Amino acid sequence: MTKFKIVAKDGKARVGKLITSRGVVNTPMFLPVGTQATVKALDFDDLHNLSCEMILANTYHLYLRPGADKISQLGGLHKFMNWDRPILTDSGGFQVFSLGFGIEHGVGKLVDIYGDSNMVIGETINTDKRKEVVVRTKLCKIEEDGPTFQSHIDGSVHFFPPEKSVETQMKLGADFMIALDECTSPLHDYDYTKASMERSHRWEKRSLDYLDSHSGKRSESRISENTILRDPGQARMTEGSEMFGVVQGGPFEDLRVESAKFVTKNDFFGVGIGGALVSHAKMMEIMDWIHPHLEPQKPRHLLGIGMVDDIFEAVGKGVDIFDCVYPTRIARSALILSKPNKIIANHYNSKRFFYDLGHAYFNQDSLPLEAGCTCFTCQNHSKAYVHHLFRTHELLAYRLATIHNIHFMLGLMKEIREAIVEKQFDKLKREWLQ
């Protein structure tokens, strides 16, 4: 019941339509992150008014609280949060990484430093079948059968193999799900990254096999654009969920190529690009390595990435989908996304495309948050008012700033799509990034 169709190209950049029974998602697209069944500070009506077409929800957090069984009993995630458009759920793999080496190495997917002297080796043991790397950290253990982690909420211990990850995502009722993989640290060495990648491939195949065996044969004939879509007001459990495989391999070219070939040859609906991306420059290099080995008809999702400059560069490498907590997280700290503005140049971060509305400079500014912006916040309120809300710790500040930042990101993606259709993507990229 799902189809991905490329409708325009400009170099490697492409515009597509992800057609689902819950509506059409236009790509390139940014997915707001609804970690715990909510995009923080917004309700479903806000998201509709922002023309949001799909969101991401987090399997790990919803598995722990309120629990996938409870959400399933209440009609699935769509009905639970009253959201009638597509939802993509992650596998929980990144949270396992965050609880493990992410904490102990003090890093995320990207780091500012890179070099052999900074590499860290996992614990290696020998088994009868293979040389296996087992990760043991304070909050998680990763073995061939699957990861075991300790809840950050109450300390309870959970075994979360690929089958459990997919079962959880199915109970949530996701339209799109991610196969379980291990997200390695940017500081892991080659041997550990290779062993982890190979294990991730086995996990991903187990994920796909579980989905196929528990949801029936997924539709091979995807619906066409003239198919009458289901009434979006209806909430129901997802039928025929599709799965993204994940390309791993860290910063190593041969591993990335091998992983891209693995995802391509298996029957995954889409390609997730994950793992240790190390730095902006290395991330773009990884895109170049894997591009020749990706099937053009499959959508590509750069997992957890959503900075403006990263989006422009990755769209130019053929990426279709992005997600990141960045715009909503910084909104709650009074950081407002905006195009470059000479008037506020002294308070503007040109690398991150935001300014700090909490600065006293804005306490008498009667202009909207961004000139020409059509979002609810900018049409109704001034910088001075929203500044006042932040200074007085009023909760409305979070909602107004988040509305603007999500509008900014979705508007950026629309602008990018239009530029690709008009063969003007490189021109638009220069205008934004110069």
Side-chain angles (χ1 to χ4, degrees):
M1 292 294 292
T2 304
K3 177 181 179 180
F4 181 63
K5 180 180 180 181
I6 303 297
V7 298
K9 295 186 70 174
D10 184 7
K12 292 180 181 178
R14 56 203 209 157
V15 171
K17 289 184 179 294
L18 188 55
I19 306 166
T20 80
S21 61
R22 286 195 168 92
V24 176
V25 179
N26 294 285
T27 65
M29 174 54 64
F30 176 84
L31 308 185
V33 176
T35 301
Q36 303 192 79
T38 174
V39 177
K40 284 185 172 53
L42 304 185
D43 65 15
F44 73 94
D45 202 38
D46 291 326
L47 293 171
H48 280 171
N49 291 335
L50 288 163
S51 299
C52 177
E53 296 173 344
M54 182 161 72
I55 64 170
L56 181 146
N58 185 267
T59 296
Y60 165 85
H61 288 284
L62 294 174
Y63 164 77
L64 289 178
R65 187 172 54 186
D69 287 332
K70 182 177 292 186
I71 291 175
S72 179
Q73 292 165 6
L74 292 169
L77 194 53
H78 292 83
K79 188 173 182 179
F80 183 59
M81 62 183 295
N82 199 17
W83 174 248
D84 55 17
R85 297 174 185 178
I87 296 175
L88 180 147
T89 51
D90 62 8
S91 67
F94 179 73
Q95 280 65 42
V96 172
F97 156 76
S98 298
L99 291 170
F101 276 117
I103 291 176
E104 297 210 353
H105 291 183
V107 297
K109 294 168 75 74
L110 303 175
V111 293
D112 294 329
I113 56 174
Y114 174 57
D116 291 341
S117 61
N118 299 310
M119 292 295 184
V120 181
I121 302 174
E123 177 186 353
T124 303
I125 64 172
N126 290 312
T127 67
D128 293 337
K129 295 182 180 180
R130 65 175 67 88
K131 190 176 184 180
E132 181 183 344
V133 176
V134 176
V135 177
R136 291 184 176 89
T137 67
K138 294 178 180 178
L139 294 178
C140 80
K141 179 174 69 172
I142 299 174
E143 299 175 291
E144 179 64 29
D145 288 343
T148 300
F149 65 85
Q150 186 175 349
S151 167
H152 70 286
I153 298 171
D154 59 9
S156 57
V157 176
H158 301 265
F159 178 53
F160 206 67
E163 295 78 10
K164 185 67 169 288
S165 171
V166 178
E167 178 189 32
T168 301
Q169 293 180 75
M170 293 178 70
K171 287 180 178 179
L172 295 176
D175 300 278
F176 300 97
M177 56 183 69
I178 305 293
L180 184 67
D181 64 320
E182 180 193 354
C183 181
T184 54
S185 164
L187 304 183
H188 277 133
D189 72 346
Y190 180 91
D191 288 341
Y192 181 85
T193 303
K194 178 177 173 61
S196 172
M197 178 200 71
E198 292 171 348
R199 178 168 51 203
S200 284
H201 289 172
R202 295 187 290 273
W203 285 2
E204 291 179 49
K205 189 63 170 64
R206 286 166 56 188
S207 298
L208 189 61
D209 289 345
Y210 187 89
L211 176 63
D212 284 339
S213 64
H214 287 75
S215 63
K217 186 172 177 59
R218 288 169 296 144
S219 174
E220 295 179 358
S221 58
R222 314 299 187 187
I223 61 176
S224 62
E225 285 196 71
N226 59 4
T227 299
I228 298 176
L229 299 177
R230 182 184 60 81
D231 178 359
Q234 296 176 338
R236 58 152 175 76
M237 293 294 286
T238 300
E239 297 174 1
S241 300
E242 299 288 357
M243 179 173 286
F244 281 63
V246 182
V247 176
Q248 286 289 344
F252 306 105
E253 181 175 4
D254 63 323
L255 300 184
R256 284 288 179 176
V257 170
E258 179 182 347
S259 192
K261 290 179 178 178
F262 164 83
V263 174
T264 296
K265 76 177 183 180
N266 282 281
D267 189 28
F268 293 106
F269 176 81
V271 179
I273 304 165
L277 300 172
V278 181
S279 68
H280 173 83
K282 180 60 68 172
M283 178 166 60
M284 294 307 119
E285 195 174 5
I286 289 170
M287 300 297 108
D288 288 331
W289 293 340
I290 67 175
H291 185 273
H293 307 285
L294 299 179
E295 189 175 333
Q297 293 79 17
K298 292 184 177 182
R300 304 158 185 168
H301 185 168
L302 186 54
L303 298 163
I305 300 298
M307 301 287 192
V308 172
D309 55 343
D310 291 335
I311 286 176
F312 269 106
E313 296 291 352
V315 166
K317 307 287 187 182
V319 173
D320 307 298
I321 305 171
F322 302 85
D323 76 271
C324 192
V325 298
Y326 176 71
T328 50
R329 178 173 290 170
I330 67 170
R332 300 191 298 277
S333 297
L335 301 178
I336 306 302
L337 291 169
S338 170
K339 291 182 178 180
N341 188 324
K342 293 181 180 180
I343 298 176
I344 59 173
N346 291 335
H347 307 282
Y348 185 76
N349 185 322
S350 59
K351 291 184 178 180
R352 291 290 178 258
F353 293 88
F354 66 66
Y355 65 90
D356 185 356
L357 188 58
H359 197 284
Y361 175 85
F362 298 106
N363 66 6
Q364 297 188 62
D365 192 327
S366 62
L367 297 176
L369 273 60
E370 183 177 22
C373 178
T374 60
C375 79
F376 171 85
T377 303
C378 289
Q379 292 297 302
N380 292 279
H381 301 293
S382 66
K383 292 191 191 76
Y385 177 65
V386 182
H387 165 86
H388 158 73
L389 296 178
F390 274 108
R391 292 297 291 267
T392 55
H393 307 289
E394 288 290 341
L395 298 181
L396 181 58
Y398 301 145
R399 175 172 178 261
L400 295 181
T402 301
I403 285 174
H404 172 80
N405 279 3
I406 293 296
H407 181 273
F408 175 92
M409 294 301 301
L410 298 183
L412 169 64
M413 304 313 294
K414 182 180 179 181
E415 199 171 340
I416 287 174
R417 292 194 297 270
E418 291 172 348
I420 295 171
V421 170
E422 297 168 1
K423 306 290 186 183
Q424 296 294 316
F425 174 71
D426 286 341
K427 179 176 181 292
L428 179 68
K429 176 182 170 183
R430 288 193 299 271
E431 291 174 353
W432 273 79
L433 300 186
Q434 277 183 348

mmCIF file of all heavy atoms in Angstrom, residues 335-371:
data_model
loop_
_atom_site.group_PDB
_atom_site.id
_atom_site.type_symbol
_atom_site.label_atom_id
_atom_site.label_comp_id
_atom_site.label_asym_id
_atom_site.label_seq_id
_atom_site.Cartn_x
_atom_site.Cartn_y
_atom_site.Cartn_z
ATOM 1 N N LEU A 335 16.181 30.211 21.212
ATOM 2 C CA LEU A 335 17.005 30.346 20.007
ATOM 3 C C LEU A 335 16.095 30.206 18.798
ATOM 4 O O LEU A 335 15.458 29.175 18.590
ATOM 5 C CB LEU A 335 18.107 29.287 19.999
ATOM 6 C CG LEU A 335 19.062 29.341 21.194
ATOM 7 C CD1 LEU A 335 20.088 28.217 21.114
ATOM 8 C CD2 LEU A 335 19.757 30.697 21.290
ATOM 9 N N ILE A 336 16.033 31.255 17.992
ATOM 10 C CA ILE A 336 15.050 31.388 16.925
ATOM 11 C C ILE A 336 15.722 31.215 15.574
ATOM 12 O O ILE A 336 16.653 31.965 15.223
ATOM 13 C CB ILE A 336 14.356 32.767 16.994
ATOM 14 C CG1 ILE A 336 13.765 33.003 18.388
ATOM 15 C CG2 ILE A 336 13.297 32.883 15.906
ATOM 16 C CD1 ILE A 336 12.770 31.959 18.841
ATOM 17 N N LEU A 337 15.253 30.253 14.801
ATOM 18 C CA LEU A 337 15.798 30.025 13.464
ATOM 19 C C LEU A 337 15.380 31.146 12.529
ATOM 20 O O LEU A 337 14.227 31.599 12.552
ATOM 21 C CB LEU A 337 15.317 28.678 12.923
ATOM 22 C CG LEU A 337 15.890 27.453 13.624
ATOM 23 C CD1 LEU A 337 15.159 26.183 13.191
ATOM 24 C CD2 LEU A 337 17.389 27.315 13.345
ATOM 25 N N SER A 338 16.317 31.576 11.702
ATOM 26 C CA SER A 338 16.054 32.706 10.822
ATOM 27 C C SER A 338 17.091 32.740 9.714
ATOM 28 O O SER A 338 18.220 32.277 9.890
ATOM 29 C CB SER A 338 16.123 34.022 11.617
ATOM 30 O OG SER A 338 16.088 35.144 10.764
ATOM 31 N N LYS A 339 16.706 33.289 8.579
ATOM 32 C CA LYS A 339 17.689 33.561 7.544
ATOM 33 C C LYS A 339 18.607 34.685 8.030
ATOM 34 O O LYS A 339 18.246 35.445 8.934
ATOM 35 C CB LYS A 339 16.991 33.983 6.248
ATOM 36 C CG LYS A 339 16.222 32.870 5.561
ATOM 37 C CD LYS A 339 15.612 33.367 4.252
ATOM 38 C CE LYS A 339 14.881 32.250 3.536
ATOM 39 N NZ LYS A 339 14.270 32.706 2.259
ATOM 40 N N PRO A 340 19.795 34.814 7.436
ATOM 41 C CA PRO A 340 20.709 35.895 7.840
ATOM 42 C C PRO A 340 20.027 37.259 7.806
ATOM 43 O O PRO A 340 19.291 37.572 6.883
ATOM 44 C CB PRO A 340 21.826 35.800 6.795
ATOM 45 C CG PRO A 340 21.823 34.361 6.384
ATOM 46 C CD PRO A 340 20.382 33.939 6.416
ATOM 47 N N ASN A 341 20.278 38.050 8.839
ATOM 48 C CA ASN A 341 19.632 39.351 8.984
ATOM 49 C C ASN A 341 20.648 40.360 9.493
ATOM 50 O O ASN A 341 21.177 40.223 10.591
ATOM 51 C CB ASN A 341 18.456 39.226 9.963
ATOM 52 C CG ASN A 341 17.613 40.470 10.031
ATOM 53 O OD1 ASN A 341 18.106 41.587 9.945
ATOM 54 N ND2 ASN A 341 16.299 40.275 10.194
ATOM 55 N N LYS A 342 20.923 41.372 8.696
ATOM 56 C CA LYS A 342 21.938 42.370 9.058
ATOM 57 C C LYS A 342 21.541 43.154 10.304
ATOM 58 O O LYS A 342 22.400 43.598 11.070
ATOM 59 C CB LYS A 342 22.169 43.326 7.893
ATOM 60 C CG LYS A 342 22.815 42.676 6.680
ATOM 61 C CD LYS A 342 23.043 43.694 5.573
ATOM 62 C CE LYS A 342 23.692 43.027 4.356
ATOM 63 N NZ LYS A 342 23.920 43.993 3.250
ATOM 64 N N ILE A 343 20.238 43.343 10.514
ATOM 65 C CA ILE A 343 19.777 44.148 11.634
ATOM 66 C C ILE A 343 20.169 43.513 12.964
ATOM 67 O O ILE A 343 20.493 44.197 13.938
ATOM 68 C CB ILE A 343 18.245 44.340 11.563
ATOM 69 C CG1 ILE A 343 17.874 45.100 10.283
ATOM 70 C CG2 ILE A 343 17.734 45.086 12.795
ATOM 71 C CD1 ILE A 343 16.377 45.252 10.074
ATOM 72 N N ILE A 344 20.144 42.186 13.016
ATOM 73 C CA ILE A 344 20.460 41.484 14.267
ATOM 74 C C ILE A 344 21.802 40.763 14.157
ATOM 75 O O ILE A 344 22.046 39.794 14.867
ATOM 76 C CB ILE A 344 19.353 40.480 14.633
ATOM 77 C CG1 ILE A 344 19.172 39.435 13.515
ATOM 78 C CG2 ILE A 344 18.045 41.198 14.929
ATOM 79 C CD1 ILE A 344 18.220 38.316 13.884
ATOM 80 N N ALA A 345 22.668 41.245 13.290
ATOM 81 C CA ALA A 345 23.928 40.551 12.992
ATOM 82 C C ALA A 345 24.761 40.278 14.236
ATOM 83 O O ALA A 345 25.410 39.232 14.345
ATOM 84 C CB ALA A 345 24.736 41.364 11.987
ATOM 85 N N ASN A 346 24.757 41.192 15.194
ATOM 86 C CA ASN A 346 25.579 41.013 16.391
ATOM 87 C C ASN A 346 25.068 39.910 17.306
ATOM 88 O O ASN A 346 25.776 39.469 18.211
ATOM 89 C CB ASN A 346 25.651 42.326 17.176
ATOM 90 C CG ASN A 346 26.443 43.381 16.439
ATOM 91 O OD1 ASN A 346 27.300 43.064 15.606
ATOM 92 N ND2 ASN A 346 26.162 44.642 16.721
ATOM 93 N N HIS A 347 23.836 39.461 17.071
ATOM 94 C CA HIS A 347 23.237 38.439 17.920
ATOM 95 C C HIS A 347 22.889 37.188 17.116
ATOM 96 O O HIS A 347 22.173 36.314 17.607
ATOM 97 C CB HIS A 347 21.969 38.985 18.578
ATOM 98 C CG HIS A 347 22.194 40.273 19.294
ATOM 99 N ND1 HIS A 347 22.787 40.347 20.536
ATOM 100 C CD2 HIS A 347 21.938 41.555 18.924
ATOM 101 C CE1 HIS A 347 22.874 41.616 20.909
ATOM 102 N NE2 HIS A 347 22.366 42.372 19.956
ATOM 103 N N TYR A 348 23.413 37.096 15.906
ATOM 104 C CA TYR A 348 23.032 36.024 14.984
ATOM 105 C C TYR A 348 24.173 35.037 14.817
ATOM 106 O O TYR A 348 25.320 35.415 14.600
ATOM 107 C CB TYR A 348 22.658 36.616 13.625
ATOM 108 C CG TYR A 348 22.132 35.619 12.619
ATOM 109 C CD1 TYR A 348 20.840 35.133 12.710
ATOM 110 C CD2 TYR A 348 22.927 35.168 11.571
ATOM 111 C CE1 TYR A 348 20.342 34.221 11.796
ATOM 112 C CE2 TYR A 348 22.447 34.251 10.642
ATOM 113 C CZ TYR A 348 21.150 33.782 10.766
ATOM 114 O OH TYR A 348 20.665 32.883 9.859
ATOM 115 N N ASN A 349 23.853 33.742 14.914
ATOM 116 C CA ASN A 349 24.829 32.679 14.692
ATOM 117 C C ASN A 349 24.703 32.226 13.244
ATOM 118 O O ASN A 349 23.792 31.475 12.897
ATOM 119 C CB ASN A 349 24.575 31.514 15.659
ATOM 120 C CG ASN A 349 25.628 30.433 15.568
ATOM 121 O OD1 ASN A 349 26.110 30.108 14.490
ATOM 122 N ND2 ASN A 349 25.978 29.852 16.713
ATOM 123 N N SER A 350 25.602 32.686 12.397
ATOM 124 C CA SER A 350 25.492 32.433 10.961
ATOM 125 C C SER A 350 25.737 30.968 10.608
ATOM 126 O O SER A 350 25.299 30.507 9.552
ATOM 127 C CB SER A 350 26.478 33.319 10.185
ATOM 128 O OG SER A 350 27.810 33.072 10.608
ATOM 129 N N LYS A 351 26.440 30.234 11.469
ATOM 130 C CA LYS A 351 26.686 28.821 11.199
ATOM 131 C C LYS A 351 25.479 27.961 11.546
ATOM 132 O O LYS A 351 25.279 26.891 10.960
ATOM 133 C CB LYS A 351 27.911 28.333 11.984
ATOM 134 C CG LYS A 351 29.232 28.924 11.502
ATOM 135 C CD LYS A 351 30.405 28.319 12.251
ATOM 136 C CE LYS A 351 31.724 28.857 11.748
ATOM 137 N NZ LYS A 351 32.888 28.257 12.473
ATOM 138 N N ARG A 352 24.686 28.407 12.495
ATOM 139 C CA ARG A 352 23.546 27.619 12.963
ATOM 140 C C ARG A 352 22.199 28.255 12.594
ATOM 141 O O ARG A 352 21.159 27.736 12.925
ATOM 142 C CB ARG A 352 23.633 27.421 14.474
ATOM 143 C CG ARG A 352 24.791 26.514 14.891
ATOM 144 C CD ARG A 352 24.515 25.079 14.472
ATOM 145 N NE ARG A 352 25.607 24.172 14.800
ATOM 146 C CZ ARG A 352 26.491 23.725 13.926
ATOM 147 N NH1 ARG A 352 26.419 24.112 12.662
ATOM 148 N NH2 ARG A 352 27.457 22.897 14.291
ATOM 149 N N PHE A 353 22.233 29.437 11.957
ATOM 150 C CA PHE A 353 21.022 30.090 11.462
ATOM 151 C C PHE A 353 20.012 30.401 12.578
ATOM 152 O O PHE A 353 18.812 30.229 12.414
ATOM 153 C CB PHE A 353 20.354 29.226 10.375
ATOM 154 C CG PHE A 353 21.166 29.116 9.116
ATOM 155 C CD1 PHE A 353 22.111 28.107 8.991
ATOM 156 C CD2 PHE A 353 21.007 30.012 8.075
ATOM 157 C CE1 PHE A 353 22.887 27.997 7.846
ATOM 158 C CE2 PHE A 353 21.776 29.922 6.922
ATOM 159 C CZ PHE A 353 22.719 28.915 6.805
ATOM 160 N N PHE A 354 20.511 30.886 13.720
ATOM 161 C CA PHE A 354 19.586 31.306 14.768
ATOM 162 C C PHE A 354 20.110 32.542 15.482
ATOM 163 O O PHE A 354 21.279 32.903 15.354
ATOM 164 C CB PHE A 354 19.323 30.183 15.777
ATOM 165 C CG PHE A 354 20.510 29.751 16.610
ATOM 166 C CD1 PHE A 354 21.099 30.597 17.542
ATOM 167 C CD2 PHE A 354 21.027 28.462 16.501
ATOM 168 C CE1 PHE A 354 22.169 30.192 18.325
ATOM 169 C CE2 PHE A 354 22.099 28.042 17.276
ATOM 170 C CZ PHE A 354 22.671 28.918 18.176
ATOM 171 N N TYR A 355 19.203 33.190 16.212
ATOM 172 C CA TYR A 355 19.595 34.270 17.117
ATOM 173 C C TYR A 355 18.959 34.017 18.477
ATOM 174 O O TYR A 355 17.982 33.258 18.598
ATOM 175 C CB TYR A 355 19.203 35.645 16.562
ATOM 176 C CG TYR A 355 17.720 35.890 16.425
ATOM 177 C CD1 TYR A 355 16.981 36.445 17.472
ATOM 178 C CD2 TYR A 355 17.045 35.577 15.251
ATOM 179 C CE1 TYR A 355 15.620 36.672 17.351
ATOM 180 C CE2 TYR A 355 15.687 35.797 15.111
ATOM 181 C CZ TYR A 355 14.973 36.349 16.173
ATOM 182 O OH TYR A 355 13.619 36.578 16.053
ATOM 183 N N ASP A 356 19.519 34.639 19.498
ATOM 184 C CA ASP A 356 19.080 34.419 20.877
ATOM 185 C C ASP A 356 18.061 35.483 21.263
ATOM 186 O O ASP A 356 18.414 36.627 21.559
ATOM 187 C CB ASP A 356 20.282 34.460 21.817
ATOM 188 C CG ASP A 356 19.909 34.125 23.256
ATOM 189 O OD1 ASP A 356 18.712 33.929 23.534
ATOM 190 O OD2 ASP A 356 20.823 34.070 24.112
ATOM 191 N N LEU A 357 16.781 35.092 21.244
ATOM 192 C CA LEU A 357 15.711 36.032 21.569
ATOM 193 C C LEU A 357 15.694 36.389 23.050
ATOM 194 O O LEU A 357 15.038 37.344 23.455
ATOM 195 C CB LEU A 357 14.365 35.430 21.156
ATOM 196 C CG LEU A 357 13.126 36.324 21.235
ATOM 197 C CD1 LEU A 357 13.299 37.570 20.376
ATOM 198 C CD2 LEU A 357 11.883 35.552 20.816
ATOM 199 N N GLY A 358 16.433 35.645 23.861
ATOM 200 C CA GLY A 358 16.497 35.955 25.278
ATOM 201 C C GLY A 358 17.362 37.157 25.606
ATOM 202 O O GLY A 358 17.334 37.671 26.730
ATOM 203 N N HIS A 359 18.094 37.656 24.621
ATOM 204 C CA HIS A 359 18.977 38.805 24.849
ATOM 205 C C HIS A 359 18.154 40.072 25.075
ATOM 206 O O HIS A 359 17.131 40.293 24.413
ATOM 207 C CB HIS A 359 19.905 38.982 23.656
ATOM 208 C CG HIS A 359 21.094 39.844 23.939
ATOM 209 N ND1 HIS A 359 21.016 41.221 24.018
ATOM 210 C CD2 HIS A 359 22.388 39.528 24.180
ATOM 211 C CE1 HIS A 359 22.207 41.705 24.275
ATOM 212 N NE2 HIS A 359 23.068 40.695 24.381
ATOM 213 N N ALA A 360 18.614 40.915 25.981
ATOM 214 C CA ALA A 360 17.896 42.152 26.314
ATOM 215 C C ALA A 360 17.731 43.075 25.107
ATOM 216 O O ALA A 360 16.849 43.946 25.097
ATOM 217 C CB ALA A 360 18.638 42.881 27.436
ATOM 218 N N TYR A 361 18.552 42.896 24.100
ATOM 219 C CA TYR A 361 18.469 43.702 22.878
ATOM 220 C C TYR A 361 17.059 43.678 22.285
ATOM 221 O O TYR A 361 16.624 44.650 21.650
ATOM 222 C CB TYR A 361 19.482 43.164 21.861
ATOM 223 C CG TYR A 361 19.446 43.810 20.501
ATOM 224 C CD1 TYR A 361 20.156 44.988 20.260
ATOM 225 C CD2 TYR A 361 18.733 43.229 19.455
ATOM 226 C CE1 TYR A 361 20.136 45.578 19.000
ATOM 227 C CE2 TYR A 361 18.711 43.808 18.193
ATOM 228 C CZ TYR A 361 19.416 44.983 17.973
ATOM 229 O OH TYR A 361 19.389 45.570 16.732
ATOM 230 N N PHE A 362 16.305 42.606 22.502
ATOM 231 C CA PHE A 362 15.009 42.446 21.840
ATOM 232 C C PHE A 362 13.827 42.867 22.713
ATOM 233 O O PHE A 362 12.678 42.680 22.312
ATOM 234 C CB PHE A 362 14.831 40.977 21.426
ATOM 235 C CG PHE A 362 15.857 40.505 20.438
ATOM 236 C CD1 PHE A 362 16.873 39.650 20.844
ATOM 237 C CD2 PHE A 362 15.833 40.925 19.115
ATOM 238 C CE1 PHE A 362 17.838 39.213 19.944
ATOM 239 C CE2 PHE A 362 16.791 40.502 18.212
ATOM 240 C CZ PHE A 362 17.796 39.644 18.615
ATOM 241 N N ASN A 363 14.073 43.448 23.875
ATOM 242 C CA ASN A 363 12.961 43.684 24.796
ATOM 243 C C ASN A 363 12.019 44.800 24.350
ATOM 244 O O ASN A 363 10.940 44.961 24.932
ATOM 245 C CB ASN A 363 13.458 43.936 26.221
ATOM 246 C CG ASN A 363 14.264 45.230 26.339
ATOM 247 O OD1 ASN A 363 14.371 46.015 25.396
ATOM 248 N ND2 ASN A 363 14.849 45.435 27.512
ATOM 249 N N GLN A 364 12.399 45.565 23.313
ATOM 250 C CA GLN A 364 11.498 46.581 22.784
ATOM 251 C C GLN A 364 11.306 46.444 21.276
ATOM 252 O O GLN A 364 10.870 47.387 20.617
ATOM 253 C CB GLN A 364 12.028 47.992 23.106
ATOM 254 C CG GLN A 364 12.097 48.286 24.598
ATOM 255 C CD GLN A 364 12.437 49.738 24.872
ATOM 256 O OE1 GLN A 364 11.700 50.661 24.509
ATOM 257 N NE2 GLN A 364 13.582 49.953 25.512
ATOM 258 N N ASP A 365 11.617 45.286 20.749
ATOM 259 C CA ASP A 365 11.528 45.057 19.300
ATOM 260 C C ASP A 365 10.089 44.669 18.933
ATOM 261 O O ASP A 365 9.606 43.599 19.296
ATOM 262 C CB ASP A 365 12.487 43.939 18.891
ATOM 263 C CG ASP A 365 12.686 43.835 17.394
ATOM 264 O OD1 ASP A 365 11.727 44.121 16.654
ATOM 265 O OD2 ASP A 365 13.783 43.460 16.960
ATOM 266 N N SER A 366 9.413 45.539 18.203
ATOM 267 C CA SER A 366 8.002 45.328 17.857
ATOM 268 C C SER A 366 7.816 44.517 16.583
ATOM 269 O O SER A 366 6.680 44.254 16.179
ATOM 270 C CB SER A 366 7.298 46.676 17.696
ATOM 271 O OG SER A 366 7.899 47.422 16.629
ATOM 272 N N LEU A 367 8.908 44.089 15.945
ATOM 273 C CA LEU A 367 8.819 43.329 14.698
ATOM 274 C C LEU A 367 8.602 41.837 14.977
ATOM 275 O O LEU A 367 8.910 41.351 16.069
ATOM 276 C CB LEU A 367 10.095 43.532 13.885
ATOM 277 C CG LEU A 367 10.381 44.960 13.419
ATOM 278 C CD1 LEU A 367 11.737 45.037 12.713
ATOM 279 C CD2 LEU A 367 9.274 45.458 12.502
ATOM 280 N N PRO A 368 8.091 41.103 14.002
ATOM 281 C CA PRO A 368 7.928 39.652 14.189
ATOM 282 C C PRO A 368 9.276 38.953 14.316
ATOM 283 O O PRO A 368 10.333 39.541 14.041
ATOM 284 C CB PRO A 368 7.174 39.215 12.941
ATOM 285 C CG PRO A 368 7.481 40.247 11.913
ATOM 286 C CD PRO A 368 7.609 41.532 12.666
ATOM 287 N N LEU A 369 9.247 37.679 14.690
ATOM 288 C CA LEU A 369 10.489 36.936 14.895
ATOM 289 C C LEU A 369 11.347 36.908 13.639
ATOM 290 O O LEU A 369 12.574 36.934 13.714
ATOM 291 C CB LEU A 369 10.181 35.496 15.357
ATOM 292 C CG LEU A 369 10.003 35.296 16.859
ATOM 293 C CD1 LEU A 369 8.856 36.126 17.415
ATOM 294 C CD2 LEU A 369 9.789 33.814 17.175
ATOM 295 N N GLU A 370 10.707 36.823 12.478
ATOM 296 C CA GLU A 370 11.433 36.871 11.208
ATOM 297 C C GLU A 370 10.599 37.628 10.186
ATOM 298 O O GLU A 370 9.411 37.336 9.999
ATOM 299 C CB GLU A 370 11.738 35.463 10.691
ATOM 300 C CG GLU A 370 12.555 35.468 9.413
ATOM 301 C CD GLU A 370 12.931 34.072 8.938
ATOM 302 O OE1 GLU A 370 12.239 33.103 9.319
ATOM 303 O OE2 GLU A 370 13.919 33.946 8.193
ATOM 304 N N ALA A 371 11.220 38.585 9.521
ATOM 305 C CA ALA A 371 10.514 39.373 8.521
ATOM 306 C C ALA A 371 9.989 38.484 7.398
ATOM 307 O O ALA A 371 10.711 37.623 6.893
ATOM 308 C CB ALA A 371 11.444 40.436 7.936
#
